[in-house]
Amino acid sequence: MAELIDDLRVGDEVELEIGAVAHGGHCVARHEGRVVFVRLALPGERGIVRITEARPGSFCRGELVHVLQADPQRVSAPCRHYRPGGCGGCDFQHATGERQRELKAAVVAEQLRRLAGLDRPVTVEALPGDGFGWRSRVRWAASPSVLDRSGPGIGPRAARSHQVVGVDGDQPCLIAAPGMSEVAAGLTPPPSAHRGRRPGAQPDRRRDGGRSRRPEDPEVTLCAPGLDGSDAAEVVTVWSGQSGPVVTETVGDRDFQVAADGFWQVHPAAAVALTRAVTEAVADVLPAGGLAWDLYGGVGLLTEVLCRAVGPSGEVVLVESDSRATALAEQNLARHPQAEVVTGRVEHALDTLPGPPHAVVLDPPRSGAGREICRSLAALGPEVIVYVACDPAALGRDTATLAEAGYELTALRAFDAFPQTQHVECVATYRPARGSATASS
Ligand SMILES: C[S@@+](CC[C@H](N)C(=O)[O-])C[C@H]1O[C@@H](n2cnc3c(N)ncnc32)[C@H](O)[C@@H]1O
């Protein structure tokens, strides 16, 4: 094997041909055999890449700072914070919406191929809207300079950095709901939100990918309930350490009570798209009077779908670890006596639930459900497993486990629920593979 030449240093600028898009919002390029993950680039482009991270014997990271040969669907990013060294909240603002969806489709297809051995075409569907002003919830940080207004105030973090990108009415975050940046610019963190910042402590300038938060920075959730694009939204703020108010979100003809700082789909059209996709996925397989589970159920958005499918003679069990969410789910599902709400972690609750279920819907956090849970679900032999996934790598891993356990991926829909970013929401449907023995067969 050729030896890697570790001659790249942070700050170096090199001319590179940009290769395929990869999971994580960057493209892959090579410099004398060494892999460089390049932000702000598009596959097939050529340009000058500035190296931002270089570890001996490993891959590097960089940002495209000068384009020599552009993709035809490259556009000039409208946000002033979207630039080399700038905000890390968006990844694909330099491409048309159509090209962004192609990139996301390529990532989902690649993760399914690499992790689950599946070769299938993927289409990412656009949601209504122009791709800006859609984020009904953000969690932003307050920089140490916010108190004396000596530097950037409150906003998202810079790419792969703890640094805060201060936003305001003149330089707003363009994906956040209208009005959020103006509200953020006027905020001052309450003393209770300072989680142990030492007086006089200097900002930590490590670039560790933002995986660990600088713990002393106060964070604030801004929530624009009922965002639908027609009006400037009312913005509710909740600082870290505080408990937020309950707000109302509407999906079709149903209202849901949600904690302002609790989980809810952030794109105003996502809840409708997901509930329709789940309805479609269980339509022919979940009988009236049947039993269904909604795992990682939040405040009951998808339990409601399952209650409608099984009707009053059926039963639907929601499992969710956040007790504030389950208290609200009880209220949201009060009109469905067939709904049972369980507060607990899925991994602890599975053995205690009524079963076996005809259908299981699961919507785990980014890390996915994992091997144990996928294997346990498959062993119960449901007619259908519907997996709502916000991370394509977790989807790929869990699809592989389900396949080993006898469940094949029969349908996949993907939605552009996070325009301008690398993120994508998938709804995957699995049925018992033909010829496999499941508990219900
Ligand atoms: C992606 S959200 C889905 C919520 C809901 N399905 C919806 O569409 O609104 C994931 C939910 O799983 C919950 N959660 C995370 N880990 C969990 C676990 N181990 N067991 C149960 N719930 C968990 C979180 O609190 C969160 O509400």
Side-chain angles (χ1 to χ4, degrees):
M1 201 168 81
E3 207 174 303
L4 291 181
I5 304 171
D6 283 337
D7 63 347
L8 288 177
R9 301 279 175 270
V10 170
D12 284 354
E13 294 193 354
V14 285
E15 182 177 328
L16 297 180
E17 303 278 347
I18 307 298
V21 66
H23 183 248
H26 43 238
C27 294
V28 184
R30 283 182 188 274
H31 180 262
E32 296 176 0
R34 197 170 178 192
V35 168
V36 185
F37 292 123
V38 185
R39 268 177 59 78
L40 312 177
L42 293 172
E45 291 190 326
R46 189 164 54 79
I48 306 298
V49 173
R50 183 179 301 145
I51 302 300
T52 53
E53 291 175 43
R55 267 176 254 126
S58 180
F59 60 82
C60 298
R61 295 184 184 276
E63 294 174 326
L64 190 66
V65 292
H66 183 62
V67 185
L68 297 172
Q69 186 182 311
D71 181 289
Q73 293 198 68
R74 173 173 277 274
V75 295
S76 173
C79 178
R80 293 168 69 177
H81 301 294
Y82 190 80
R83 53 183 167 74
C87 183
C90 291
D91 310 281
F92 292 153
Q93 253 196 50
H94 56 290
T96 61
E98 189 187 344
R99 188 78 175 103
Q100 293 182 26
R101 289 187 287 281
E102 284 172 11
L103 298 177
K104 297 181 196 199
V107 169
V108 175
E110 196 245 339
Q111 295 299 310
L112 287 173
R113 192 166 38 245
R114 200 166 66 76
L115 298 168
L118 290 180
D119 211 351
R120 61 181 298 145
V122 176
T123 302
V124 175
E125 303 170 43
L127 294 184
D130 66 0
F132 292 97
W134 53 266
R135 257 201 104 101
S136 65
R137 280 161 171 74
V138 298
R139 189 165 174 86
W140 285 341
S143 77
S145 54
V146 70
L147 287 177
D148 60 7
R149 302 272 163 205
S150 63
I154 292 174
R157 308 265 180 179
R160 300 190 61 73
S161 164
H162 291 305
Q163 294 303 303
V164 174
V165 176
V167 295
D168 58 29
D170 292 332
Q171 299 195 33
C173 166
L174 294 185
I175 59 170
M180 272 187 183
S181 301
E182 288 83 344
V183 169
L187 294 176
T188 305
S192 61
H194 290 262
R195 293 169 295 154
R197 184 191 295 165
R198 285 167 286 114
Q202 290 303 304
D204 179 350
R205 295 186 193 286
R206 274 179 310 152
R207 289 169 72 89
D208 71 350
R211 281 181 291 276
S212 60
R213 291 280 186 237
R214 184 168 54 193
E216 66 269 29
D217 282 345
E219 292 188 337
V220 61
T221 298
L222 292 97
C223 167
L227 179 69
D228 66 2
S230 60
D231 293 310
E234 175 214 2
V235 177
V236 177
T237 59
V238 188
W239 283 98
S240 40
Q242 293 182 342
S243 185
V246 172
V247 299
T248 302
E249 298 285 0
T250 304
V251 183
D253 60 355
R254 289 285 291 113
D255 283 349
F256 289 84
Q257 305 300 306
V258 190
D261 55 335
F263 181 86
W264 185 253
Q265 286 293 333
V266 292
H267 192 294
V272 169
L274 295 182
T275 52
R276 284 189 183 149
V278 172
T279 304
E280 182 185 287
V282 299
D284 297 330
V285 264
L286 177 58
L291 170 63
W293 293 355
D294 177 16
L295 307 180
Y296 312 91
V299 297
L301 174 70
L302 302 175
T303 305
E304 157 86 9
V305 168
L306 297 172
C307 285
R308 289 182 190 225
V310 298
S313 61
E315 185 177 2
V316 183
V317 185
L318 175 157
V319 183
E320 161 64 46
S321 59
D322 175 357
S323 57
R324 273 193 317 166
T326 50
L328 293 169
E330 297 270 12
Q331 291 178 36
N332 293 332
L333 299 166
R335 60 143 78 167
H336 295 295
Q338 68 272 42
E340 183 192 341
V341 175
V342 174
T343 304
R345 298 186 70 79
V346 168
E347 53 275 34
H348 301 151
L350 276 191
D351 290 345
T352 67
L353 304 182
H358 294 94
V360 177
V361 172
L362 69 161
D363 184 1
R366 193 160 295 284
S367 51
R371 278 187 77 74
E372 289 306 313
I373 287 170
C374 289
R375 292 180 70 85
S376 301
L377 294 178
L380 293 166
E383 290 295 323
V384 64
I385 297 175
V386 184
Y387 188 134
V388 181
C390 59
D391 183 75
L395 178 69
R397 287 192 299 274
D398 288 342
T399 297
T401 305
L402 289 169
E404 282 167 27
Y407 277 76
E408 67 181 355
L409 179 65
T410 55
L412 177 68
R413 294 188 66 187
F415 299 98
D416 195 7
F418 312 91
Q420 320 305 335
T421 79
Q422 54 155 318
H423 300 290
V424 56
E425 193 81 25
C426 294
V427 179
T429 307
Y430 306 84
R431 303 286 313 272
R434 270 177 295 244
S436 84
T438 64
S440 67
S441 58

